[in-house]
Each structure stands twice: as structure tokens, then as C-alpha cells.
Amino acid sequence: MMNVLYFAWVRERIGVPKETVETQAETVADLVEELRGREERYAAAFADLSALRVAIDQELSEFDSPLKGAREVAFFPPMTGG
Amino acid sequence: MMNVLYFAWVRERIGVPKETVETQAETVADLVEELRGREERYAAAFADLSALRVAIDQELSEFDSPLKGAREVAFFPPMTGG
Amino acid sequence: MVSISISVQDTAFDAGAMLNDFSNENSQVGAVISFTGLVRDTPDNDLDRMVIEHYPGMTERALQTIADEAAQRWDLAAVLVIHRFGDLHVGEQIMMVATASRHRTAGFEAAEFLMDYLKSRAPFWKKEFTKSGAEWVDAKDADEAALGRWSAD
Amino acid sequence: MVSISISVQDTAFDAGAMLNDFSNENSQVGAVISFTGLVRDTPDNDLDRMVIEHYPGMTERALQTIADEAAQRWDLAAVLVIHRFGDLHVGEQIMMVATASRHRTAGFEAAEFLMDYLKSRAPFWKKEFTKSGAEWVDAKDADEAALGRWSAD
């Protein structure tokens, strides 16, 4: 069981800020593949990975990072604070 | 007739903040020579020119700058504002 | 010991009062530098409001990591970071970064470093609401590129 | 048109209030940077007071020249320079420089430029009064050297 969080326009496209996902995905990229296969809104949100960033357990990570032990994965666009 | 101003420790060594000087000096260096010849306190203040700065009519200048037309010359140590 | 203060809040703050407090708490050093980011109107002058979304938990961790890194790289007495989220209007303060240091060069560099990292590494997202609709603000390539100068040394 | 405000004064000022006023007057741009210089105690913690002497007339001209130069080199909306003279005590604000700009990099660079030039080109001299006597503060080679980086570009 893994919490998956979405922020900004990723949240808007997927339609929820957070959900719990049952997954055996080994990497973030694997998880993205699973999500893409679910519904059109996921495919739309994950269409261009270069426009996305990912955090594993609140640390910025890469799409090929392993998910072993992760409790929380978040997807969002590049940050625009400051 | 030229106003000569002194600031910081130059003022303290010479003992006055300002005086009027009758001079035909062509450059700042010439003026310094004349002043040095006056009294010991001037010789002391002008002992090391590398420790001094000069302004002609309120513009930072060099010791070899011409004095032609100048109304006000000021001597002081390197600035320490900020 | 560097004093690090971080606040992520949805309420407005008084940058001037924060600057004065920060200076008073650090009067043993000579240089205080502050950066304040304000909500700027759109080119069409029709910004109704800006909404800032953030990632609670990760935001505070990211800001702490960035401040710790600054404190390690420069000789600082104190670091202050304040960042708002929620609704903001034109002219309001979005965020503030301040450094207190003995020497001004360290303070300036650290403040720029904090800003560069905060822009691209702290999980905040801005959305602008105007007459013509709502748009997420795009990240600027220049902001990502700005990080490059801190990795060489 | 860049708004330039310069004040040379013997009275204390409220840096926070100045920062807020400056931000309010420049809310069409996004980045406000301030530098505040404070009276720092001596290593022996025995500073009774600092006296700042200046060259009335030349001071204002020098600060104006430095601010004009900054306004010419960077894309700024406004520049603020305040510098005190006379008697000051530990923790008091000696001076303040602020810039308002569209982009933070221009604001940071301009603020550093203003400080570098102000330090070595504006006619102020500090004298420290301690238990062991009174001493004029020596100019630092590093301050003069800091000007070098602005002449290359």
C-alpha cells in the first residue's frame, strides 16, 4: 500500500490530491506505467514525464529511483515558489 | 584662493577642518609640497601619501591631477562607510 | 551555531517587522540582507489573485535542507525563511529570505543561494487567476539554470 | 525611469519601515533586496560608541553617482540609500541600501555593486570609542579589491 500524491495541474488532471495504491512497482517509472494504464486522466497527466517531478517520501527523486520501502510518492510539475 | 578641507585623522593631525590657502600650485602634489613646508603638523599628516585620498571640487582625484580652476580640495584617509 | 528560522504560513506577514526583529536578534554581526518576493501584476494588469499550493511536510523539510546547506557553506549567524501559501493579491509579500553575517559577501551569496534553491527545489506552485482564466505559472529555465553556479565550488 | 532616493542623516531610521514603504512604492516589480549595516561590537565587547564623519556635499554627490551608475547597469525600478553620520551605538543601523527589480539577479547584483562602491567611494569615516581609547577604523584591502569585479564587464 502506497500513498500517491498529486500537486498543481497534475492534481487537477487526475482529479484527486491523494490516493492509496496497491502496487508491486519496483521503480517510479513502473508505477507511472501502471497508473497510465488505469484511465485516460492518468494517461493525460503522465503524458510527458519531462514536465514532471517526483518525490519519494518527501525527497526529490528520479523516475528510475527504486520504490522499495517507500510509503509516499508525489508527482508534480517543476516548482515555482519564491 | 582655495578652500582646503581635512577629514578624519588628517583633520585631527592638522588641527582644523578647513582653511583657505593662497597657492599657485599646479597639481595636488605641488599643493601637498607647499603644505608640508609650512609646519610639522602638515608634514606629519602628509607623511605617507599612499594612506591618503584627495578630492577636487568634491570629485575623487589623483595626486597628479591639475588644480586649475579648483575651488575646493579635500584630503582624507581611505573611506570606511557602509 | 547558526540560528535557522523557517515558516510556511497562509497568513500575511510584515516584512519590515521581521527584518527589524531579525536585525535585533543578530546585532553582534554587521551585515543583514533580505530578499522579499512580491505578487506582481500580469502584463495586462488583470491579476485577480494568486494561489500558492504547496506540499505540507516536504516543504518544511526542503526549506530546512536548503537553509542547513547555506549555513554550512557560508559563515552566517542566522538564516530566516518565510513563505506563504494560499490566496495572495497584487503587491502582497509572497516570501522573504534573510541572512545575518559578519561579512556582507557571505550574506549576499547565501541569500542568492537560498533564493536559487528555494525557487527550484521547494515544493510550491503558483496559479494566477485573471479575467481571462486561471493558469499555472510555468517554471523558468533560468531558475533551474541558476543552480548550476553553486555546484562548481 | 528609475526612482532613486538618497538620504544622509544624523538621526536613526527604522529599516523595517523603510523596507515596507519601499516595497509598497514598487509593487509593480517582484523582487526587493535590502542590505542593512549594523554597528558591531569590538572583539573585546567594549565599544562605547562609533562616530561617523562625512564630507557634506561630496557625500550626497558620490551616493547619487553610485546609484545612477547602478540604475544604468541593471534593470531596476528603484534604488534606496540611507547612511547615517554622527554618534551611533552597538546594534544601531548605520546604513541601508535597497533595490527593487523585476528579476532577482539584477537586484542582488545592483545591491552588491552599491555596497562595494559605497564602502570605498563615498566619503564616510568611522571612529570607534572604546575603554582603551579612540581609533579610526582602517579601510580593508578586501573592500577596495571588491571593486575590481565591476570593471570587467
Side-chain angles (χ1 to χ4, degrees), chain C residues 2-15:
Chain C
V2 185
S3 153
I4 293 178
S5 166
I6 288 168
S7 175
V8 181
Q9 58 188 59
D10 61 355
T11 48
F13 63 94
D14 181 332

Side-chain angles (χ1 to χ4, degrees), chain C residues 50-72:
Chain C
M50 170 181 279
V51 175
I52 299 181
E53 183 168 330
H54 80 122
Y55 182 172
M58 178 173 169
T59 308
E60 291 78 1
R61 288 174 58 152
L63 294 177
Q64 185 70 45
T65 301
I66 295 165
D68 286 345
E69 173 82 13
Q72 206 165 10

Side-chain angles (χ1 to χ4, degrees), chain A residues 33-53:
Chain A
E33 270 321 298
E34 289 183 15
L35 293 169
R36 270 179 179 151
R38 284 182 157 200
E39 284 178 51
E40 177 51 32
R41 57 194 169 107
Y42 290 93
F46 290 108
D48 176 12
L49 290 194
S50 75
L52 292 182
R53 300 288 179 270

Side-chain angles (χ1 to χ4, degrees), chain B residues 59-74:
Chain B
E59 292 281 351
L60 270 184
S61 304
E62 304 295 329
F63 281 90
D64 59 4
S65 297
L67 284 179
K68 196 171 155 61
R71 288 161 304 151
E72 183 172 306
V73 175

Side-chain angles (χ1 to χ4, degrees), chain C residues 42-111:
Chain C
T42 57
D44 294 339
N45 295 311
D46 68 347
L47 187 72
D48 176 47
R49 67 197 166 105
M50 170 181 279
V51 175
I52 299 181
E53 183 168 330
H54 80 122
Y55 182 172
M58 178 173 169
T59 308
E60 291 78 1
R61 288 174 58 152
L63 294 177
Q64 185 70 45
T65 301
I66 295 165
D68 286 345
E69 173 82 13
Q72 206 165 10
R73 292 175 74 141
W74 288 278
D75 182 14
L76 304 175
V79 172
L80 171 73
V81 180
I82 304 171
H83 204 300
R84 290 183 64 187
F85 61 91
D87 281 19
L88 289 96
H89 295 90
V90 172
E92 278 194 89
Q93 283 140 352
I94 300 171
M95 49 78 60
M96 176 175 184
V97 153
T99 62
S101 58
R102 215 171 150 71
H103 298 293
R104 72 183 183 286
T105 307
F108 271 116
E109 281 189 14

Side-chain angles (χ1 to χ4, degrees), chain B residues 42-63:
Chain B
Y42 289 94
F46 290 108
D48 176 13
L49 290 193
S50 75
L52 292 182
R53 299 289 179 270
V54 61
I56 300 174
D57 290 335
Q58 306 189 351
E59 292 281 351
L60 270 184
S61 304
E62 304 295 329
F63 281 90

Side-chain angles (χ1 to χ4, degrees), chain D residues 118-131:
Chain D
L118 186 154
K119 281 257 171 195
S120 299
R121 294 291 179 267
F124 291 103
W125 300 275
K126 292 186 186 126
K127 191 174 190 176
E128 292 178 339
F129 291 78
T130 65
K131 284 196 208 76

